[in-house]
Amino acid sequence: MQSKMKDLLGNDIKVGDKIAFLPRKENYRGFQYNIQYGMVTKMTLDKTAAYCKSLSEYDYPELLRYTHQIIKLS
């Protein structure tokens, strides 16, 4: 088990961090392939994934994203 969650670039992630991610493939609508901006709301116990609330114009529910799918915004 990891002690801290890391993003795609190796940055430490914690609850409350603002992040960028792509929506899941089944959520795409035509050419709508927009980067979603959101905030980490909680993490899995093994620190390999985080639940992210979208703050973008499209109101997706909290989505589970894995470390290789998110990038921390500074």
Side-chain angles (χ1 to χ4, degrees):
M1 179 176 359
Q2 296 177 1
S3 60
K4 293 183 179 180
M5 184 172 171
K6 303 277 187 181
D7 72 354
L8 178 67
L9 303 175
N11 299 313
D12 289 341
I13 297 287
K14 62 183 185 307
V15 172
D17 282 345
K18 292 182 179 137
I19 57 160
F21 60 92
L22 287 174
R24 291 188 317 195
K25 191 173 185 177
E26 56 267 18
N27 288 339
Y28 297 156
R29 295 183 196 128
F31 290 103
Q32 180 182 322
Y33 189 76
N34 298 330
I35 292 175
Q36 297 291 301
Y37 300 98
M39 186 168 37
V40 175
T41 58
K42 57 188 167 185
M43 292 185 220
T44 58
L45 291 176
D46 62 2
K47 306 284 193 231
T48 59
Y51 287 91
C52 306
K53 175 66 179 150
S54 177
L55 301 175
S56 297
E57 61 184 279
Y58 305 104
D59 189 29
Y60 293 112
E62 285 185 340
L63 302 170
L64 183 63
R65 292 288 159 257
Y66 294 91
T67 56
H68 65 277
Q69 296 174 313
I70 61 177
I71 297 174
K72 181 178 179 177
L73 302 174
S74 34

